[in-house]
Amino acid sequence: MRVLFLHTNFPAQYRHVAQALAQDPKNQVVFGTKNRDVNLPGIYKAIFEPSRNPHPTTHHYVRPLESAVLHGQAVFKLCEQLKHQGFVPDVICGHSGWGPTLYIKDAFPDKPLICYFEWFYNSLGADADFDPTDPLSVDDLARIRTKNAPILLDLYTCDRGLSPTGWQKAQFPPEFHQKISVLHDGVDTEYFKPKPGAKLVLPNLDLSSVNEIVTYVARGMEPYRGFPQFIETIAYVQERRPNCHFVIVGSDRVCYGKSLPDGSSYKDFMLKKVPLDLSRVHFTDSLPYGQYLQVIQASSVHVYLTRPFVLSWSMIEAMSTGCLVLGSDTAPVTEVIKDGENGLLVDFFSPQKIADRIDEVLNHPTQMAEIRANARKTALERYALADLLPQHVQLIKDVASKKFKPFIPVIR
C-alpha cells in the first residue's frame, strides 16, 4: 500500500501511524510537509513550500484562506513531482485547515482522502466567546465564520474524516458528522507510566529534595491554556505553602488566540502584575520527551487549564503516569475527567479555587491514591496507543481498499 501523509509540520498527529505503516516492507510511506528538520526511518519526506505569503493588502477575513490556497498549490506541485517519480498513492491522509489537502483530489482524482479534522471555528459556545471580559465584535464574528472556508472545502472533498474527541467532532456542521469518526491519536502508556518515588532532576534544575511540586505544561504561555490564571494561583499557594515549588514547561509564546497589543509576552506581563517568589517557580521552556516525562512523574499535582478547545496530549500523558490532574471544568476536559474519580475539576476563572484544590491534594496525599490509579486506568482503557494505533491503521486500509459506504450529505 502506498500512503501519502500531508501536514505542514512533521510528524505531528501522524507520528505513530506513519511509523507503523513504514515498518511494513509492503508499504511505501511519503510525508509531504514544510518541516525540513526532523526525519524518521522508513518515511520519505517530501518538502513543499508556498510560493509566497498572503498579500498584506488582502482583507484580513480572507488571509487564512489565501494562505490555505497557497499551501494547496504548493502541495499540488509536489504531487506532480511525485507522479513524475512514479509515486501514486493508494490513500491520502491530511490535516485539514492550513490548506495542504485543498487540491489533492485534483492531483489524484480517484484516490481516497482521509482528513484529520482537529477544529471547526464557532463564534458562540466554544473557545471564542468563553471569556466574558473579552467580548466578540461584529468583525470577530465575520472573521471566525470566514476562517472555516478551507475546512468546509475539505469536508466536502474528503472520503472520510476523524477527530480525536467527541467534543471536537461536535464543533463541525452536523450535516457532515456521518463522515467523521472519533478516534484519539493515542498515548504510549508503556512510556508514560508511573514511577513511584520519582524525583525531579533536570540538567539545570534539581528538585530532588522537594516534596511538593505543582506542574503545568502547555505549548505556549497564553490565556487559551489558562496561563494568567495559573500565575495568580501560584501567588495564593505560595502564601500558604512555603516549601511548594512550581514547574512550568512550555515556550514563552502565543500558539492560540490573541497576542498582547503591545507585543509583550504573557509571561512578562503576568510576572510584572503578580509578585511571586521566583526562587520557587521554575520555567523550563520546552523539554525533550525524556525530561518532560520526569517532570510529570515527579508531580504532586498537575494543573491543566483550557478554554473549550482542542484537548492537549499532555493531559492524557499526565494521567497515564498516574498524575493527580487538576483540570478546568471545561470541554473537552470533562469528556475525560470525572471530578473525584480520575481527577479533579475546578473553575477555569478562579485562581483562588484552583489554589484551594491544590491544597486539598497536597494536604491529603494518601486519599488521592485511588484517583491517581483511576487516572492511569482511564488512559489504559480509553487512550492507549497499543489499542488505538491498530484502529488507525485499519481505517487507512479500509479507506484505501474502499471498504466503506459512500457518504451522502444530509440536505435540509
Side-chain angles (χ1 to χ4, degrees):
M1 181 172 62
R2 292 182 169 191
V3 186
L4 173 62
F5 290 95
L6 296 171
H7 199 300
T8 52
N9 202 356
F10 176 88
Q13 288 92 348
Y14 295 122
R15 171 185 293 274
H16 299 298
V17 68
Q19 285 184 292
L21 290 167
Q23 288 172 0
D24 187 340
K26 296 178 182 177
N27 296 330
Q28 185 177 0
V29 177
V30 174
F31 201 122
T33 183
K34 291 174 25 176
N35 187 332
R36 299 175 181 272
D37 298 331
V38 182
N39 292 287
L40 292 173
I43 299 173
Y44 174 76
K45 197 165 69 172
I47 302 298
F48 64 83
E49 196 66 50
S51 59
R52 61 175 177 83
N53 293 321
H55 200 276
T57 61
T58 298
H59 194 290
H60 70 281
Y61 297 175
V62 187
R63 274 184 215 138
L65 176 57
E66 184 180 3
S67 176
V69 167
L70 291 163
H71 280 79
Q73 284 182 323
V75 169
F76 184 88
K77 293 176 183 176
L78 172 64
C79 291
E80 293 299 295
Q81 296 171 11
L82 292 174
K83 284 190 280 188
H84 183 71
Q85 296 168 10
F87 178 83
V88 175
D90 298 305
V91 61
I92 303 123
C93 303
H95 186 287
S96 178
W98 293 299
T101 49
L102 279 189
Y103 308 119
I104 203 71
K105 285 287 192 174
D106 301 294
F108 301 111
D110 61 341
K111 302 303 178 183
L113 168 64
I114 307 171
C115 277
Y116 189 105
F117 290 117
E118 188 169 18
W119 191 243
F120 192 86
Y121 298 90
N122 289 288
S123 300
L124 306 176
D127 60 317
D129 66 336
F130 179 66
D131 188 345
T133 67
D134 186 21
L136 297 175
S137 66
V138 174
D139 191 63
D140 289 326
L141 299 176
R143 174 184 54 79
I144 291 168
R145 181 176 295 277
T146 310
K147 198 169 183 179
N148 286 315
I151 301 170
L152 286 165
L153 287 170
D154 282 342
L155 281 167
Y156 168 76
T157 303
C158 78
D159 297 278
R160 276 293 179 271
L162 61 86
S163 287
T165 68
W167 157 256
Q168 286 164 255
K169 173 182 173 176
Q171 304 315 300
F172 289 82
E175 293 87 344
F176 291 98
H177 281 187
Q178 288 181 323
K179 224 177 191 183
I180 303 172
S181 301
V182 176
L183 188 57
H184 193 268
D185 311 318
V187 167
D188 188 345
T189 53
E190 289 304 305
Y191 183 80
F192 291 100
K193 60 185 178 182
K195 185 180 179 182
K199 299 294 183 181
L200 181 55
V201 180
L202 301 179
N204 299 308
L205 177 64
D206 186 346
L207 297 183
S208 57
S209 61
V210 174
N211 293 321
E212 296 181 351
I213 300 175
V214 178
T215 57
Y216 172 97
V217 174
R219 289 178 63 198
M221 301 177 193
E222 57 201 336
Y224 256 66
R225 299 307 193 190
F227 178 76
Q229 287 81 2
F230 185 67
I231 293 297
E232 292 184 26
T233 297
I234 293 174
Y236 283 112
V237 178
Q238 285 192 333
E239 288 179 1
R240 310 167 184 174
R241 313 191 78 88
N243 298 315
C244 186
H245 284 247
F246 299 82
V247 178
I248 299 173
V249 179
S251 300
D252 187 11
R253 59 174 177 159
V254 172
C255 298
Y256 308 110
K258 302 174 184 176
S259 299
L260 288 167
D262 63 358
S264 61
S265 75
Y266 282 101
K267 176 184 176 183
D268 292 340
F269 176 79
M270 290 307 299
L271 291 182
K272 289 176 183 176
K273 178 182 176 181
V274 182
L276 300 176
D277 174 4
L278 292 177
S279 69
R280 294 189 284 133
V281 182
H282 311 281
F283 293 90
T284 69
D285 208 333
S286 296
L287 292 175
Y289 259 113
Q291 294 177 28
Y292 158 57
L293 174 62
Q294 291 180 54
V295 170
I296 55 178
Q297 284 178 329
S299 175
S300 306
V301 54
H302 181 76
V303 178
Y304 178 75
L305 308 173
T306 184
R307 288 189 178 195
F309 188 54
V310 171
L311 185 68
S312 304
W313 291 331
S314 64
M315 193 191 87
I316 309 293
E317 290 165 347
M319 294 176 71
S320 183
T321 65
C323 258
L324 194 297
V325 176
L326 174 54
S328 53
D329 192 4
T330 53
V333 176
T334 52
E335 187 174 323
V336 183
I337 292 180
K338 305 304 176 188
D339 187 44
E341 295 181 16
N342 59 356
L344 301 177
L345 297 174
V346 72
D347 183 350
F348 177 96
F349 291 111
S350 178
Q352 186 165 0
K353 291 180 180 178
I354 299 169
D356 289 345
R357 297 225 79 174
I358 290 174
D359 271 345
E360 180 184 341
V361 175
L362 297 178
N363 288 335
H364 306 96
T366 56
Q367 294 179 19
M368 298 293 162
E370 184 177 357
I371 295 178
R372 293 175 181 274
N374 287 339
R376 169 72 174 169
K377 182 180 178 183
T378 298
L380 288 169
E381 291 181 350
R382 295 173 54 187
Y383 300 101
L385 182 66
D387 297 326
L388 296 181
L389 182 56
Q391 296 181 43
H392 280 275
V393 172
Q394 191 60 50
L395 174 66
I396 292 171
K397 288 181 177 179
D398 288 347
V399 174
S401 60
K402 300 185 180 178
K403 291 181 179 178
F404 59 89
K405 295 179 181 178
F407 171 72
I408 302 174
V410 177
I411 300 174
R412 298 178 184 270

